[in-house]
Amino acid sequence: MSLALPPRNLATQVGSIITRTTTSTTRRRMSKTSFSSITDQNPDEPPANWEKVLEGIRKMRSSEDAPVDTMGCEKAGILLPPKRLLQNDLLTADAIDKADEATIKSLIYPVGFYTRKANNLKKIANICLMNYNGDIPRSLKELLLLPGIGPKMAHLVMNVGWNDVQGICVDTHVHRICNRLGWVSRPGTKQKTSTPEETREALQKWLPKEEWVPINPLLVGFGQTVCTPLRPRCGACTVSELCPSAFKETASPSSKSNKSTSRKKPS
């Protein structure tokens, strides 16, 4: 029996570990300050104007490229750095298990924490060979047992690898933006969620399931280009009048410029 991972699943496994550059050392925990926009809102009910806000974000995203559009997990195996693994015949569990860790490390550089991720790739390849005949786990519970795989990536693998949507992929961008918009709150409080997992659970209570997959790349790209971690470009945001956090953080000079200065997609 061949131990090679099916291309769909292997690309997901590789992408889930190395295509998202980790920035945890620079992330700051979201403030737990109360926000008035959800004072009387039932956490299980959709926030006011959420559909209008979502459509506005979609329009902004359609006019400006973001890194996630070319470097997201679903692009693994097509773009660098996974392409380098493909070129070196390292897209099977057996090949990764037998490869020298230093070689893997050099091929995935310069992604964040490439040393740790190379080590995790080796461990995951061995686990997949021993327990799954060279494939990847089909359940969220089993994926979460793999080294280096947290809830965000486990849900992403289920979505992309197995087309089985069990939850929203919430990273630092989705976590930050949902709190800025007043879309989520901590259970039984009017305070902002403090972790991506809290955000995921709160968001899933009201967001229609058909939005669970597209919400991640939509908000990630929005967070990379407009609603940035520091000095968000509120002046360039077309839904700022519906955002309770708009213009409350120090703005960068570019946030005051006309939206036409944004990098446009070719027509």
Side-chain angles (χ1 to χ4, degrees):
M1 177 183 295
S2 172
L3 296 180
L5 280 78
R8 175 196 63 177
N9 302 329
L10 177 66
T12 303
Q13 173 192 325
V14 175
S16 69
I17 296 194
I18 66 178
T19 60
R20 299 289 180 89
T21 302
T22 305
T23 56
S24 60
T25 55
T26 60
R27 294 175 187 166
R28 297 183 179 182
R29 184 176 295 274
M30 297 293 292
S31 169
K32 297 181 181 180
T33 306
S34 301
F35 45 102
S36 59
S37 65
I38 61 168
T39 300
D40 301 313
Q41 180 186 316
N42 183 327
D44 295 338
E45 295 179 355
N49 298 310
W50 75 270
E51 291 174 300
K52 186 176 181 180
V53 171
L54 200 61
E55 182 58 27
I57 294 175
R58 283 197 183 101
K59 289 180 179 179
M60 284 185 280
R61 287 281 284 112
S62 69
S63 65
E64 187 173 3
D65 287 318
V68 70
D69 297 329
T70 55
M71 297 301 292
C73 175
E74 66 278 4
K75 308 299 189 301
I78 301 173
L79 300 172
L80 296 176
K83 186 176 181 181
R84 280 178 271 176
L85 296 178
L86 175 63
Q87 292 170 340
N88 287 270
D89 297 320
L90 287 177
L91 281 188
T92 67
D94 187 54
I96 292 175
D97 184 57
K98 292 177 179 177
D100 183 81
E101 188 173 317
T103 298
I104 298 174
K105 185 165 64 173
S106 68
L107 292 173
I108 66 173
Y109 177 84
V111 299
F113 302 102
Y114 61 92
T115 297
R116 183 189 308 168
K117 289 175 181 178
N119 182 261
N120 283 339
L121 273 172
K122 291 275 293 178
K123 291 178 180 178
I124 289 175
N126 182 262
I127 292 171
C128 290
L129 284 171
M130 296 298 102
N131 301 337
Y132 304 101
N133 291 323
D135 208 334
I136 58 174
R138 290 198 65 128
S139 74
L140 193 68
K141 181 178 180 180
E142 290 173 302
L143 284 167
L144 288 169
L145 294 176
L146 297 177
I149 301 297
K152 177 191 73 175
M153 284 303 173
H155 282 293
L156 197 57
V157 171
M158 291 299 295
N159 295 352
V160 178
W162 295 114
N163 193 30
D164 183 359
V165 181
Q166 295 190 21
I168 301 172
C169 303
V170 177
D171 69 351
T172 183
H173 293 291
V174 178
H175 174 55
R176 178 182 71 255
I177 292 168
C178 285
N179 274 288
R180 282 179 176 171
L181 290 171
W183 282 4
V184 293
S185 63
R186 299 181 68 187
T189 75
K190 300 167 186 175
Q191 296 179 328
K192 295 183 178 182
T193 55
S194 58
T195 66
E197 263 299 276
E198 282 188 355
T199 295
R200 181 185 66 80
E201 292 172 359
L203 195 58
Q204 287 179 187
K205 288 180 179 179
W206 62 265
L207 188 69
K209 194 167 184 178
E210 60 266 25
E211 298 289 355
W212 285 15
V213 172
I215 195 71
N216 177 270
L218 184 73
L219 294 188
V220 169
F222 184 57
Q224 291 173 337
T225 57
V226 179
C227 197
T228 50
L230 300 176
R231 298 179 293 280
R233 299 170 57 226
C234 299
C237 180
T238 61
V239 296
S240 59
E241 73 279 3
L242 299 174
C243 177
S245 304
F247 300 102
K248 291 185 179 180
E249 298 183 34
T250 304
S252 65
S254 61
S255 71
K256 301 177 183 179
S257 63
N258 189 283
K259 188 182 177 183
S260 64
T261 60
S262 298
R263 176 166 47 94
K264 305 293 183 181
K265 287 185 177 180
S267 57

